[in-house]
Amino acid sequence: MNNFEYYNPVRIIFGEGQIKKLSELVPEQARVLITYGGGSAKRTGTLDEVKAALTANGTRTIFEFGGIEPNPEFTTLLKAADMVNRERIDFILAVGGGSVIDGSKFVALVSSLTEADGTVSREQAWAALTSYVVKVDRAVDLGAVLTIPATGSEMNAGGVVNYSERHAKLPFRNPLAYPKFSILDPAKTLTLPENQVMNGIADAYVHVMEQYLTYPANAKVQDAFSESLLKILIEEGPEVKQQPSNIEIRKNIMWTATMALNGLIGSGVPQDWTTHMIGHELTSLYGIDHARTLTIVLPSLMRELKDSKKEKLLQYARNVWAITNPQGNMSEDEIIEAAIVETENFFKSLGLPVRLADAGLDESAIPAVLKQLKEHGMVALGEHKQNDLAVSQRILERAVN
Ligand code: NZQ
Ligand code: ZN
């Protein structure tokens, strides 16, 4: 296990009916900007519930900024950042999923990058995004009300922003982006369409795999925790499909997704993230949901990199899929392939794609992905920093059919 420092300041308020605690969590005199997406927060009544809690006490002044897209757009977010300055906002409350929370984190970070006229400098904000670690020393305080378990954004300091005009979908991070608190009410996920529930399970699953499926680091706590998170998703995925209104299942899925990317299982261990970097380009180019790009790429990445990942693949087969080869008649390659097939079948059981063809793409889609990977400097990916464009190309070619 490598040296590490683990710091996570996010206060989590978990459970049904917890939105009313906003009256205690948001400063009573705050000038609050509530941010939300395309309409689900309004449609589901969550926005009204949030506003009722904020007006239950104190003298808060409330503003709203809606329309943050799935895969939040840079240009939209900069309008919200201008509003933060224009209305002297001192608390941003994100109501939604990863897109709204990520977008609001970015707004909180770049709002201080102002021109003389008080608007936020688009060039400085773009430079901040492309530098990955956003170089600012102050940010607007942020809280979140999570409505879709998937990304873990509610308990981490990172995010992803899309800039369609520049054909870019880029990750960013800064410790100032940790939400002060996140309210996780599992009842709020009951209105999710099934495809989004499945997206969330897949995104959380691959988050764990990015931090687990690398090479042994004697990280027994992280490995055992990761394997448990994977097994919970394998169990609860089909269950929630059968019983969509079962709140107990929703609770486990919600907390698993948060734990999958709050830094804990990633501390002190090598991490990959190749699947995600290739996935971001597939979303940016072809509009495929984030999670579905991952279920397309991961199985082919596992096959392409089975030699460098062999020991963890065998551990994954044994501890997650109980492939123990009792008769001793399976080769290591056969055990590994069996685990990859189990992974594919799990994704398929949730109605998720596992090939580019499942998303209507063929090998002609590959050159543009490689071009954007190169433009975004994604040419030495993975736990060994050796996954160059040729490796990404082979992974994508494997993923066609
Ligand atoms: O836009 P609205 O109307 O709110 O509808 C949303 C959106 O269309 C809908 N939705 C959300 N909660 C709902 C609901 N519909 C009904 N009932 C509810 N309770 O679901 C759709 C998807 O929402 P979105 O926020 O885009 O989904 P998700 O949470 O999966 O976020 C995806 C974004 O997160 C980024 C992805 O790249 C993508 O941009 N990620 C963020 C990460 C992080 N911060 O650590 C890591 C991840 O790997 C990921 O990259
Ligand atoms: Zn993800």
Side-chain angles (χ1 to χ4, degrees), residues 150-151 203-204 206-207 261 273 276 280 290-291 294:
T151 63
D203 197 15
V206 181
H207 291 158
L261 199 54
W273 296 103
H276 266 72
H280 287 166
H290 169 65
L294 308 178

Side-chain angles (χ1 to χ4, degrees), residues 238-275:
E239 284 298 314
V240 74
K241 209 169 157 65
Q242 296 305 319
Q243 308 174 57
S245 52
N246 184 322
I247 194 81
E248 293 309 312
I249 297 174
R250 298 290 181 142
K251 288 178 182 175
N252 284 317
I253 291 172
M254 194 167 214
W255 193 227
T256 302
T258 301
M259 282 292 154
L261 199 54
N262 71 353
L264 211 48
I265 62 171
S267 294
V269 297
Q271 300 192 26
D272 186 343
W273 296 103
T274 303
T275 302

Side-chain angles (χ1 to χ4, degrees), residues 28-179:
E28 288 197 14
Q29 287 75 35
R31 295 174 67 82
V32 184
L33 179 65
I34 304 175
T35 53
Y36 57 91
S40 72
K42 272 190 181 165
R43 218 175 32 251
T44 58
T46 301
L47 193 59
D48 286 341
E49 198 176 340
V50 163
K51 286 193 274 191
L54 290 174
T55 50
N57 68 342
T59 55
R60 300 177 187 91
T61 311
I62 297 170
F63 301 85
E64 292 180 31
F65 184 92
I68 296 179
E69 309 84 348
N71 306 305
E73 275 295 334
F74 178 90
T75 46
T76 305
L77 301 174
L78 270 287
K79 290 179 194 146
D82 286 342
M83 186 174 177
V84 165
N85 292 323
R86 197 171 53 247
E87 303 297 351
R88 292 178 292 108
I89 299 298
D90 52 25
F91 198 94
I92 298 172
L93 183 61
V95 179
S99 290
V100 174
I101 299 173
D102 285 6
S104 303
K105 287 177 178 176
F106 191 67
V107 170
L109 289 172
V110 301
S111 293
S112 62
L113 302 175
T114 48
E115 308 273 19
D117 66 0
T119 61
V120 176
S121 160
R122 270 58 179 163
E123 281 318 300
Q124 285 184 54
W126 172 244
L129 179 58
T130 49
S131 59
Y132 178 56
V133 178
V134 177
K135 293 179 183 57
V136 293
D137 53 14
R138 57 196 164 94
V140 180
D141 285 350
L142 173 84
V145 173
L146 181 69
T147 65
I148 167 174
T151 63
S153 188
E154 65 278 11
M155 198 175 181
N156 69 36
V160 184
V161 168
N162 217 45
Y163 199 159
S164 295
E165 291 153 40
R166 294 182 187 242
H167 305 295
K169 177 178 171 68
L170 296 173
F172 69 88
R173 67 173 296 104
N174 180 312
L176 293 170
Y178 276 115

Side-chain angles (χ1 to χ4, degrees), residues 2 9 21 35 45 74 84 87 189 194 222 273 284 286 310 318 356 373 375:
N2 306 321
K21 289 202 173 151
T35 53
F74 178 90
V84 165
E87 303 297 351
T189 72
E194 182 182 284
Q222 295 90 324
W273 296 103
S284 160
Y286 306 114
K310 184 166 90 170
R318 187 174 58 251
L356 287 171
L373 282 170
E375 280 167 8

